[in-house]
Amino acid sequence: MFKKNINLIRKNIVKFLILNYPNCNIKRENLSLLNEGKFANATVFRYKDKNLDLTIKDFSGSPWLVRKTFGKLFINLEYNNLVKLSNNPSIAKNPKKLSECTLAFGFIKGKALKFFPKSSIEKDFFLKLEKNVKAMHSKNIVHLDLRNLGNILVGKDGHPYIIDFQSAISTKYLGSWLSKILKTSDLTGVYKCWNNRCTEPLDEKRSNILTEFNKLRKVWIFRGYPLSRALKKIKEFIYQKN
């Protein structure tokens, strides 16, 4: 079975940080592991000192095939999306590619929605989230995984934050019909989270949008997302080889 060499990954990331932040006194002990990730998923670290507080996603410890294909692809996708959304208050700031398969961006202090009990978060949180998702759509970007309560954070400041943009896509060159469906998918993700965690129920209008889209979602071709399914097949193949 493939096993990541975390010590080697740490060494590589420290090297990348020194190269990309030459005026900072980078120290290995300031780098902490947040999530090792499976062999075909990113390893996630936090680097924190008096000058920097970064989340770092890295595929350098993945098998060569993943590193040179999906690793590079996901890093590029997430980096480009974070740059385009730099003015959105729900998006991490200061993205920087440390290598072709390593990405750093500002660490968001907070906790994912999935860790909160039902009916525990005020309505204003979801109104802000809805507003910022619509602002994201105005930049022709859809997230495609906002139904996952792990991808929405309640910040220490109480504001909503969206993470994990590696599956996000641009709607710029899609037809208006498909763009509308994908944007509605994002918004109904917000409404699903609202239903699960808000102290107040959805109003009738939003509830109807969620209900109607759930009917469509049972038959639509993007359910499960083709890219994710393809990645799963690649992971299974590599796992068998190891």
Side-chain angles (χ1 to χ4, degrees):
M1 184 185 300
F2 184 89
K3 177 69 174 177
K4 289 184 178 180
N5 187 335
I6 298 299
N7 285 332
L8 180 59
I9 298 172
R10 284 179 181 274
K11 182 178 179 181
N12 287 337
I13 290 177
V14 169
K15 179 179 69 176
F16 297 150
L17 287 168
I18 291 171
L19 289 173
N20 285 275
Y21 299 94
N23 297 322
C24 297
N25 183 22
I26 303 297
K27 294 182 179 179
R28 182 187 175 102
E29 57 265 31
N30 293 329
L31 187 66
S32 57
L33 179 67
L34 299 181
N35 187 0
E36 180 173 338
K38 296 181 180 179
F39 67 98
N41 293 104
T43 306
V44 184
F45 290 86
R46 180 183 183 184
Y47 182 87
K48 187 178 188 309
D49 62 21
K50 64 180 181 179
N51 298 311
L52 298 173
D53 194 359
L54 304 171
T55 297
I56 300 170
K57 299 179 74 170
D58 176 84
F59 284 91
S60 69
S62 296
W64 181 89
L65 180 60
V66 172
R67 190 168 67 247
K68 293 297 184 180
T69 54
F70 285 102
K72 290 174 62 176
L73 173 64
F74 286 158
I75 291 299
N76 282 327
L77 282 174
E78 188 149 11
Y79 171 76
N80 290 333
N81 287 323
L82 292 178
V83 169
K84 291 175 184 177
L85 297 172
S86 59
N87 292 326
N88 192 308
S90 285
I91 308 302
K93 306 304 178 189
N94 304 315
K96 182 188 284 284
K97 283 200 289 186
L98 304 184
S99 78
E100 66 177 13
C101 55
T102 311
L103 174 67
F105 48 84
F107 182 82
I108 299 172
K109 296 178 181 178
K111 187 166 67 171
L113 274 181
K114 66 181 181 180
F115 296 116
F116 286 81
K118 291 185 177 181
S119 304
S120 62
I121 300 174
E122 296 297 324
K123 178 180 177 179
D124 185 59
F125 174 91
F126 294 97
L127 291 174
K128 290 177 181 176
L129 178 61
E130 179 187 47
K131 177 182 177 181
N132 293 339
V133 167
K134 289 181 177 179
M136 175 180 71
H137 292 165
S138 73
K139 297 288 187 178
N140 300 311
I141 295 173
V142 287
H143 186 279
L144 295 182
D145 199 15
L146 292 181
R147 288 175 173 262
N148 182 349
L149 274 69
N151 286 334
I152 299 173
L153 305 183
V154 179
K156 287 286 188 181
D157 54 9
H159 291 289
Y161 293 92
I162 303 168
I163 62 171
D164 200 356
F165 277 82
Q166 66 183 27
S167 295
I169 63 171
S170 171
T171 60
K172 187 174 183 180
Y173 300 108
L174 300 179
S176 58
W177 178 80
L178 181 54
S179 294
K180 182 178 180 181
I181 288 178
L182 296 180
K183 290 176 181 179
T184 303
S185 174
D186 274 359
L187 286 173
T188 55
V190 173
Y191 301 155
K192 177 193 172 185
C193 296
W194 185 326
N195 254 352
N196 274 276
R197 295 294 185 267
C198 188
T199 55
E200 300 180 38
L202 281 169
D203 57 85
E204 184 178 0
K205 180 180 178 181
R206 292 182 175 91
S207 181
N208 288 339
I209 292 172
L210 178 59
T211 299
E212 290 303 311
F213 189 80
N214 283 340
K215 293 177 184 177
L216 171 64
R217 197 169 170 271
K218 292 179 180 179
V219 297
W220 78 323
I221 62 173
F222 291 99
R223 189 178 183 186
Y225 312 127
L227 185 59
S228 297
R229 291 200 303 270
L231 177 59
K232 183 178 180 180
K233 293 295 183 182
I234 293 291
K235 290 179 181 177
E236 290 173 352
F237 173 79
I238 296 171
Y239 182 81
Q240 292 169 2
K241 291 297 183 182
N242 289 279

